Amino acid sequence: MAEHTFHLKANWPGLRNDVGEIETGNLKMKISIPPEMDGPGVGTNPDEMLLGAAATCYIITLAAMMDRSSLDKESLTMDSVGVVDVTKGVITYKKIIHRPVIVLKTGATHADQQLAKRLAEKAEASCMITRAIQGNVEVELEATITTA
């Protein structure tokens, strides 16, 4: 069994509407509350970071699965949306929607398209971030698969 550890340093010098910093590995960012929640909107925020973690985990997992399956692609892009609900002052991260667009190489067969669809679905279930938030945040998949 291999175990990996990741470390993050955070500094928050002020109160609610101030700006802090985080640093981990290759990421060094300012952080604050987003303007949608009446914050200053400087740098990134936990909502964007959770969406970023889920999206990058998913797309990297999908690319690795496509590579292992020798499924050639022209491109792999994705838009993701995070839905946060605020009811009676309680903030809840409700849902993440991934919308990957897989463009297979010219000459891809129907079987290749079916494989791409299966891998897109399997990647969502296999991503460690999706598994970590499972039961707390709903994750939806709206995959588009085409051929160049």
Side-chain angles (χ1 to χ4, degrees):
M1 175 182 108
E3 187 172 278
H4 305 281
T5 59
F6 300 90
H7 302 271
L8 180 139
K9 290 183 185 229
N11 178 36
W12 192 265
L15 300 173
R16 182 193 189 279
N17 282 334
D18 286 311
V19 177
E21 304 95 23
I22 58 167
E23 186 173 350
T24 178
N26 293 319
L27 177 67
K28 183 175 183 175
M29 292 283 311
K30 291 195 178 298
I31 56 170
S32 72
I33 296 172
E36 297 87 349
M37 296 176 186
D38 299 321
V42 175
T44 192
N45 57 69
D47 310 279
E48 291 172 343
M49 291 180 64
L50 181 59
L51 180 61
T56 55
C57 181
Y58 173 81
I59 201 165
I60 291 169
T61 301
L62 177 55
M65 289 178 163
M66 291 174 72
D67 183 44
R68 283 193 299 272
S69 297
S70 299
L71 184 60
D72 286 333
K73 63 176 175 54
E74 189 70 31
S75 66
L76 173 58
T77 59
M78 186 170 72
D79 288 325
S80 292
V81 177
V83 179
V84 176
D85 177 69
V86 182
T87 301
K88 296 181 181 179
V90 177
I91 302 168
T92 304
Y93 213 116
K94 289 185 67 171
K95 182 190 312 187
I96 292 173
I97 306 164
H98 294 310
R99 295 184 176 118
V101 177
I102 303 167
V103 179
L104 299 174
K105 294 269 188 187
T106 302
T109 65
H110 179 71
D112 291 335
Q113 290 183 343
Q114 292 299 335
L115 176 58
K117 183 176 189 275
R118 281 194 310 276
L119 293 177
E121 292 167 357
K122 186 176 180 184
E124 180 197 342
S126 300
C127 164
M128 75 172 180
I129 300 299
T130 300
R131 289 193 324 264
I133 63 176
Q134 194 171 26
N136 293 306
V137 179
E138 179 185 351
V139 179
E140 288 183 13
L141 179 66
E142 299 173 4
T144 301
I145 298 152
T146 61
T147 302

PDB file of all heavy atoms in Angstrom, residues 25-39:
ATOM      1  N   GLY A  25       2.402  22.884  -2.837  1.00  0.00           N
ATOM      2  CA  GLY A  25       3.041  22.432  -4.068  1.00  0.00           C
ATOM      3  C   GLY A  25       3.259  23.575  -5.041  1.00  0.00           C
ATOM      4  O   GLY A  25       3.880  24.574  -4.709  1.00  0.00           O
ATOM      5  N   ASN A  26       2.693  23.440  -6.246  1.00  0.00           N
ATOM      6  CA  ASN A  26       2.840  24.466  -7.283  1.00  0.00           C
ATOM      7  C   ASN A  26       1.761  25.534  -7.230  1.00  0.00           C
ATOM      8  O   ASN A  26       1.684  26.375  -8.117  1.00  0.00           O
ATOM      9  CB  ASN A  26       2.808  23.810  -8.672  1.00  0.00           C
ATOM     10  CG  ASN A  26       4.026  22.945  -8.898  1.00  0.00           C
ATOM     11  OD1 ASN A  26       5.137  23.310  -8.541  1.00  0.00           O
ATOM     12  ND2 ASN A  26       3.811  21.773  -9.481  1.00  0.00           N
ATOM     13  N   LEU A  27       0.922  25.517  -6.217  1.00  0.00           N
ATOM     14  CA  LEU A  27      -0.180  26.464  -6.113  1.00  0.00           C
ATOM     15  C   LEU A  27       0.083  27.461  -5.001  1.00  0.00           C
ATOM     16  O   LEU A  27       0.306  27.079  -3.847  1.00  0.00           O
ATOM     17  CB  LEU A  27      -1.489  25.712  -5.829  1.00  0.00           C
ATOM     18  CG  LEU A  27      -2.735  26.569  -5.614  1.00  0.00           C
ATOM     19  CD1 LEU A  27      -3.117  27.284  -6.903  1.00  0.00           C
ATOM     20  CD2 LEU A  27      -3.884  25.699  -5.126  1.00  0.00           C
ATOM     21  N   LYS A  28       0.066  28.723  -5.367  1.00  0.00           N
ATOM     22  CA  LYS A  28       0.180  29.796  -4.381  1.00  0.00           C
ATOM     23  C   LYS A  28      -0.864  30.830  -4.783  1.00  0.00           C
ATOM     24  O   LYS A  28      -0.779  31.410  -5.868  1.00  0.00           O
ATOM     25  CB  LYS A  28       1.588  30.398  -4.379  1.00  0.00           C
ATOM     26  CG  LYS A  28       1.784  31.455  -3.321  1.00  0.00           C
ATOM     27  CD  LYS A  28       3.224  31.944  -3.256  1.00  0.00           C
ATOM     28  CE  LYS A  28       3.359  32.943  -2.137  1.00  0.00           C
ATOM     29  NZ  LYS A  28       4.739  33.372  -1.952  1.00  0.00           N
ATOM     30  N   MET A  29      -1.878  31.014  -3.938  1.00  0.00           N
ATOM     31  CA  MET A  29      -3.011  31.856  -4.312  1.00  0.00           C
ATOM     32  C   MET A  29      -3.487  32.713  -3.157  1.00  0.00           C
ATOM     33  O   MET A  29      -3.365  32.331  -2.000  1.00  0.00           O
ATOM     34  CB  MET A  29      -4.220  30.969  -4.701  1.00  0.00           C
ATOM     35  CG  MET A  29      -4.105  30.165  -5.949  1.00  0.00           C
ATOM     36  SD  MET A  29      -4.335  31.085  -7.469  1.00  0.00           S
ATOM     37  CE  MET A  29      -5.819  31.987  -7.197  1.00  0.00           C
ATOM     38  N   LYS A  30      -4.082  33.838  -3.525  1.00  0.00           N
ATOM     39  CA  LYS A  30      -4.832  34.622  -2.560  1.00  0.00           C
ATOM     40  C   LYS A  30      -6.215  33.996  -2.471  1.00  0.00           C
ATOM     41  O   LYS A  30      -6.722  33.432  -3.444  1.00  0.00           O
ATOM     42  CB  LYS A  30      -4.929  36.076  -3.006  1.00  0.00           C
ATOM     43  CG  LYS A  30      -3.586  36.801  -2.952  1.00  0.00           C
ATOM     44  CD  LYS A  30      -3.771  38.299  -3.048  1.00  0.00           C
ATOM     45  CE  LYS A  30      -2.453  39.024  -2.955  1.00  0.00           C
ATOM     46  NZ  LYS A  30      -1.736  38.829  -1.708  1.00  0.00           N
ATOM     47  N   ILE A  31      -6.826  34.093  -1.294  1.00  0.00           N
ATOM     48  CA  ILE A  31      -8.154  33.535  -1.082  1.00  0.00           C
ATOM     49  C   ILE A  31      -9.036  34.559  -0.376  1.00  0.00           C
ATOM     50  O   ILE A  31      -8.552  35.381   0.414  1.00  0.00           O
ATOM     51  CB  ILE A  31      -8.113  32.236  -0.244  1.00  0.00           C
ATOM     52  CG1 ILE A  31      -7.400  32.471   1.093  1.00  0.00           C
ATOM     53  CG2 ILE A  31      -7.470  31.110  -1.027  1.00  0.00           C
ATOM     54  CD1 ILE A  31      -7.512  31.328   2.090  1.00  0.00           C
ATOM     55  N   SER A  32     -10.319  34.501  -0.685  1.00  0.00           N
ATOM     56  CA  SER A  32     -11.295  35.324   0.019  1.00  0.00           C
ATOM     57  C   SER A  32     -12.688  34.773  -0.256  1.00  0.00           C
ATOM     58  O   SER A  32     -12.862  33.855  -1.054  1.00  0.00           O
ATOM     59  CB  SER A  32     -11.206  36.791  -0.424  1.00  0.00           C
ATOM     60  OG  SER A  32     -11.712  36.946  -1.738  1.00  0.00           O
ATOM     61  N   ILE A  33     -13.650  35.365   0.391  1.00  0.00           N
ATOM     62  CA  ILE A  33     -15.046  34.993   0.158  1.00  0.00           C
ATOM     63  C   ILE A  33     -15.453  35.563  -1.201  1.00  0.00           C
ATOM     64  O   ILE A  33     -15.123  36.703  -1.533  1.00  0.00           O
ATOM     65  CB  ILE A  33     -15.930  35.538   1.299  1.00  0.00           C
ATOM     66  CG1 ILE A  33     -15.515  34.862   2.615  1.00  0.00           C
ATOM     67  CG2 ILE A  33     -17.405  35.325   1.005  1.00  0.00           C
ATOM     68  CD1 ILE A  33     -16.176  35.436   3.842  1.00  0.00           C
ATOM     69  N   PRO A  34     -16.191  34.776  -2.018  1.00  0.00           N
ATOM     70  CA  PRO A  34     -16.572  35.262  -3.339  1.00  0.00           C
ATOM     71  C   PRO A  34     -17.599  36.397  -3.262  1.00  0.00           C
ATOM     72  O   PRO A  34     -18.340  36.502  -2.279  1.00  0.00           O
ATOM     73  CB  PRO A  34     -17.171  34.027  -4.018  1.00  0.00           C
ATOM     74  CG  PRO A  34     -17.607  33.143  -2.919  1.00  0.00           C
ATOM     75  CD  PRO A  34     -16.674  33.419  -1.767  1.00  0.00           C
ATOM     76  N   PRO A  35     -17.666  37.216  -4.297  1.00  0.00           N
ATOM     77  CA  PRO A  35     -18.623  38.328  -4.297  1.00  0.00           C
ATOM     78  C   PRO A  35     -20.078  37.857  -4.220  1.00  0.00           C
ATOM     79  O   PRO A  35     -20.927  38.556  -3.667  1.00  0.00           O
ATOM     80  CB  PRO A  35     -18.347  39.058  -5.614  1.00  0.00           C
ATOM     81  CG  PRO A  35     -17.472  38.175  -6.417  1.00  0.00           C
ATOM     82  CD  PRO A  35     -16.843  37.200  -5.487  1.00  0.00           C
ATOM     83  N   GLU A  36     -20.354  36.651  -4.736  1.00  0.00           N
ATOM     84  CA  GLU A  36     -21.716  36.111  -4.661  1.00  0.00           C
ATOM     85  C   GLU A  36     -22.181  35.935  -3.225  1.00  0.00           C
ATOM     86  O   GLU A  36     -23.380  35.855  -2.950  1.00  0.00           O
ATOM     87  CB  GLU A  36     -21.797  34.742  -5.372  1.00  0.00           C
ATOM     88  CG  GLU A  36     -21.516  34.780  -6.854  1.00  0.00           C
ATOM     89  CD  GLU A  36     -20.032  34.647  -7.197  1.00  0.00           C
ATOM     90  OE1 GLU A  36     -19.171  34.721  -6.288  1.00  0.00           O
ATOM     91  OE2 GLU A  36     -19.725  34.475  -8.389  1.00  0.00           O
ATOM     92  N   MET A  37     -21.222  35.856  -2.306  1.00  0.00           N
ATOM     93  CA  MET A  37     -21.533  35.683  -0.886  1.00  0.00           C
ATOM     94  C   MET A  37     -21.119  36.915  -0.093  1.00  0.00           C
ATOM     95  O   MET A  37     -20.747  36.837   1.076  1.00  0.00           O
ATOM     96  CB  MET A  37     -20.858  34.419  -0.354  1.00  0.00           C
ATOM     97  CG  MET A  37     -21.375  33.173  -1.016  1.00  0.00           C
ATOM     98  SD  MET A  37     -20.469  31.727  -0.441  1.00  0.00           S
ATOM     99  CE  MET A  37     -21.153  30.476  -1.509  1.00  0.00           C
ATOM    100  N   ASP A  38     -21.129  38.063  -0.776  1.00  0.00           N
ATOM    101  CA  ASP A  38     -20.820  39.358  -0.172  1.00  0.00           C
ATOM    102  C   ASP A  38     -19.403  39.468   0.355  1.00  0.00           C
ATOM    103  O   ASP A  38     -19.147  40.119   1.367  1.00  0.00           O
ATOM    104  CB  ASP A  38     -21.828  39.705   0.940  1.00  0.00           C
ATOM    105  CG  ASP A  38     -23.248  39.793   0.393  1.00  0.00           C
ATOM    106  OD1 ASP A  38     -23.406  40.323  -0.725  1.00  0.00           O
ATOM    107  OD2 ASP A  38     -24.172  39.323   1.074  1.00  0.00           O
ATOM    108  N   GLY A  39     -18.465  38.829  -0.338  1.00  0.00           N
ATOM    109  CA  GLY A  39     -17.059  38.938   0.026  1.00  0.00           C
ATOM    110  C   GLY A  39     -16.326  39.788  -0.992  1.00  0.00           C
ATOM    111  O   GLY A  39     -16.895  40.228  -1.995  1.00  0.00           O
TER     112      GLY A  39
END
